[in-house]
Amino acid sequence: MEMEQLVALCKRRGFLFQSSEIYGGLNGFWDYGPLGVELKRNIREAWWRDMVTSHDELEVPPGAPSAYEMTGLDCTIIMHPQVWKCSGHYDQFHDLMQGCRQCKKLFRADQVWEMLRESDWVQSLATTCSPGPSHDLLCVDGLLLLKWAKGKGRKVAPGLALVRNPEVTLSWLAERIEQGVDRPIALTTILQYLATEQLAATGLQTPCPCCGGDLTEPREFNLMFETHTGAIRDESSKAFLRPETAQGIFVNFKNVLDSTRVRIPFGIAQIGKAFRNEITPRNFTFRSREFEQMEIEFFCHPQTSAQWYQYWRDRRFRWYVELGLAGDRLRLRDHDPQELSHYSCGTADIEYAFPFLAPGQFGELEGVAHRGDFDLRSHMEGKLVRRGDQFVVEEGPDGKPRYRGSGKDLSYFDDQTHERYVPHVIEPSAGADRAALAFLCEAYSEDEVPDENGKPTKRVFLRFHPRLAPVKAAVFPLVKKDGMPEVAREIYRTLKPHWNVFYDEKGAIGRRYRRQDEVGTPFCITVDGQTMADGTVTIRDRDTLKQWRVSKEDCLAELRERLTG
Ligand code: GAP
């Protein structure tokens, strides 16, 4: 499946729209349409039900003696600014950014090469040069480069040094690669040469993925959106839109303990919006500036945290598999030991091979992290920094904590063992929008079915798991007469209190089936001539196209069994 096909379907059928589209859209922001909102709600509800309200409390990992409890929270998006100072986001939640001196566009430094490879002008340049033994090696010919720079290059890469000043750049190139006609050079090397006019003065340049111009040195860019609370907009009223939902859970840890009877081990779950001022939002909704997270902070005894980490890593992976993301497009990737913090027994990412990525590449759906006692301690004592293999409170020039913690005791007292300790935390942190995108990509299917004249025609359908399908069933009268619409409406009204169902009486029946297939409706119920004679209707399965008859009174029970069975 090409990503463009899915993007077009999402717009055509009302899954996703660009935010503020009538004003040209706003980069990194997306609106969910009538079907998209149902899909995302079903994902959130499946997560909440499976993780919180109906989790299997008898499931415990080996070595962790007690069953666990789960509870929920819904915290504010804007929190006390000290939260972000102690959590480390205020100082450290940044990406390295580079800007183009010519076209002024901004890029995440770690994405520049990947974007260059995909850019139109690099593709055009690469086809001008002859390929070397591998697709990343090129044989360059100065004359061809000159021709490209004076022709196509002016349009596609006006900022490139080779285009602005071809002779100077080519003379550098010739010198540096020993008159390198026909010698294979790595694409990355040739691009740097072609972006550089005055090597002695500037050093090799990385070109801009959009226009080929010069990029600035990487500089830090904090991803938190800023705002102000109250009427006066100064430093003292500055606040931030939360970049993750997790911190709301940590700062409410004591409130939850004091107001409920939960005992460790237990988890607190939250679903909510998070905001990050991403430098280069891209790949449809994958990297957005406003998105939704589904996070659990699971509190446990330090001695059993390794087992609970394994449990959550496996449980969360299983959740995606159960909802249809099976196969080799889904993987669980453990971080290498050298990627881990010293306190951490592990971090794993659940990843999906999204179709917009290069073959063999995966994008993160969810991270499962063992966070030790880092977060609760930060909110007790102040922002922590690493010193050797310890985390200690960071000090300011006056020797006092750089950012003061709450000073509240966030430890846990076990009244059965009489032990007091700061719990360890396992954090499964998922993105609802990335999950929705992965379920859409996985569901997209095509096959061939005969049309009304028996001619094979392409059918596009979304093979959603029934729990996620935005519409669970559609009800049609075969024709708009002979009492069929009345019977169909009656069935529709019987089903509607239970699920999101759809009634349609317009157009040829084949077209109506196709429209439901395209949005992933698992079942279509049709009232026809036989219904009027014997009271039975047909039920059609979206994936197998099989049809069978049931009594119209049994539609509710039949669907219940098939949707939940
Ligand atoms: N509390 C931990 C945390 O926030 P993260 O890996 O930064 O960890 C967790 O984010 C999940 O949130 C990611 O796995 C992804 O699904 C989602 N996410 C993060 N940034 C996103 C973005 N810009 N757009 C859409 N989803 C995003």
Side-chain angles (χ1 to χ4, degrees), residues 60-358:
V60 281
S66 43
Y68 69 98
E69 291 175 80
M70 292 294 294
T71 184
L73 270 181
D74 185 9
C75 309
T76 59
I77 284 168
I78 295 176
M79 299 168 72
H80 194 295
Q82 201 66 11
V83 169
W84 308 111
K85 291 183 176 163
C86 289
S87 70
H89 287 82
Y90 185 77
D91 288 336
Q92 284 154 334
F93 194 57
H94 49 238
D95 278 341
L96 288 178
M97 175 185 79
Q98 291 182 275
C100 174
R101 293 196 173 90
Q102 266 75 24
C103 72
K104 309 293 177 210
K105 293 225 164 65
L106 298 174
F107 305 94
R108 243 173 77 171
D110 62 341
Q111 289 175 353
V112 166
W113 281 109
E114 190 193 328
M115 292 176 82
L116 268 168
R117 263 176 231 276
E118 291 164 10
S119 73
D120 289 346
W121 76 261
V122 172
Q123 304 281 331
S124 148
L125 186 77
T127 45
T128 302
C129 306
S130 19
S134 86
H135 80 270
D136 262 359
L137 289 175
L138 298 177
C139 299
V140 293
D141 171 333
L143 282 178
L144 281 180
L145 285 179
L146 191 62
K147 200 167 154 221
W148 181 84
K150 293 187 169 173
K152 183 99 198 241
R154 280 175 194 271
K155 280 198 212 117
V156 291
L160 189 67
L162 174 76
V163 172
R164 282 184 279 129
N165 210 343
E167 282 77 14
V168 174
T169 309
L170 282 175
S171 77
W172 273 111
L173 181 66
E175 216 176 278
R176 302 297 296 190
I177 59 168
E178 304 153 359
Q179 317 301 325
V181 182
D182 284 337
R183 199 180 119 180
I185 316 178
L187 178 68
T188 47
T189 313
I190 177 97
L191 289 180
Q192 286 192 314
Y193 281 126
L194 299 185
T196 305
E197 272 171 58
Q198 302 287 331
L199 185 59
T202 60
L204 280 176
Q205 296 284 328
T206 299
C208 162
C210 285
C211 76
D214 307 339
L215 294 182
T216 57
E217 285 300 305
R219 58 177 190 274
E220 285 175 359
F221 172 79
N222 194 295
L223 299 182
M224 282 200 294
F225 277 104
E226 287 180 15
T227 185
H228 291 266
T229 52
I232 297 166
R233 299 174 73 83
D234 63 9
E235 206 41 41
S236 68
S237 66
K238 206 196 262 182
F240 305 92
L241 304 194
R242 67 181 175 199
E244 60 171 25
T245 59
Q247 297 303 323
I249 300 181
F250 294 126
V251 301
N252 275 296
F253 172 70
K254 204 77 185 158
N255 280 336
V256 173
L257 272 185
D258 293 346
S259 59
T260 65
R261 292 174 165 202
V262 284
R263 295 177 48 78
I264 274 181
F266 72 91
I268 306 180
Q270 174 164 219
I271 299 179
K273 290 270 184 160
F275 301 80
R276 296 183 189 177
N277 197 3
E278 298 282 357
I279 301 164
T280 42
R282 63 205 194 110
N283 289 334
F284 206 17
T285 57
F286 181 82
R287 191 171 302 287
S288 310
R289 288 179 167 144
E290 176 175 340
F291 55 95
E292 210 160 352
Q293 289 187 316
M294 307 186 292
E295 296 200 293
I296 296 170
E297 305 304 327
F298 187 80
F299 301 94
C300 55
H301 192 288
Q303 274 165 12
T304 53
S305 58
Q307 289 93 320
W308 282 112
Y309 165 69
Q310 278 301 322
Y311 168 81
W312 280 107
R313 172 191 170 280
D314 299 343
R315 177 68 194 95
R316 290 301 305 144
F317 185 76
R318 188 152 44 91
W319 186 77
Y320 292 99
V321 174
E322 284 162 1
L323 288 173
L325 292 195
D328 53 12
R329 282 189 294 274
L330 185 74
R331 75 175 185 192
L332 184 61
R333 186 182 68 83
D334 288 306
H335 285 205
D336 294 334
Q338 61 270 25
E339 286 179 77
L340 299 177
S341 330
H342 86 281
Y343 59 75
S344 178
C345 306
T347 297
D349 287 342
I350 300 171
E351 301 178 326
Y352 183 73
F354 287 96
F356 48 75
L357 299 171

Side-chain angles (χ1 to χ4, degrees), residues 347-403:
T347 297
D349 287 342
I350 300 171
E351 301 178 326
Y352 183 73
F354 287 96
F356 48 75
L357 299 171
Q361 283 194 357
F362 286 75
E364 181 185 324
L365 275 180
E366 168 161 353
V368 183
H370 183 302
R371 300 185 58 91
D373 61 6
F374 180 89
D375 305 277
L376 289 178
R377 271 190 58 212
S378 311
H379 289 302
M380 274 199 287
E381 300 166 15
K383 185 190 163 209
L384 300 179
V385 283
R386 193 183 202 136
R387 191 144 313 141
D389 62 353
Q390 298 272 325
F391 271 86
V392 295
V393 176
E394 187 181 348
E395 289 174 356
D398 55 2
K400 294 190 177 146
R402 182 158 143 74
Y403 298 122

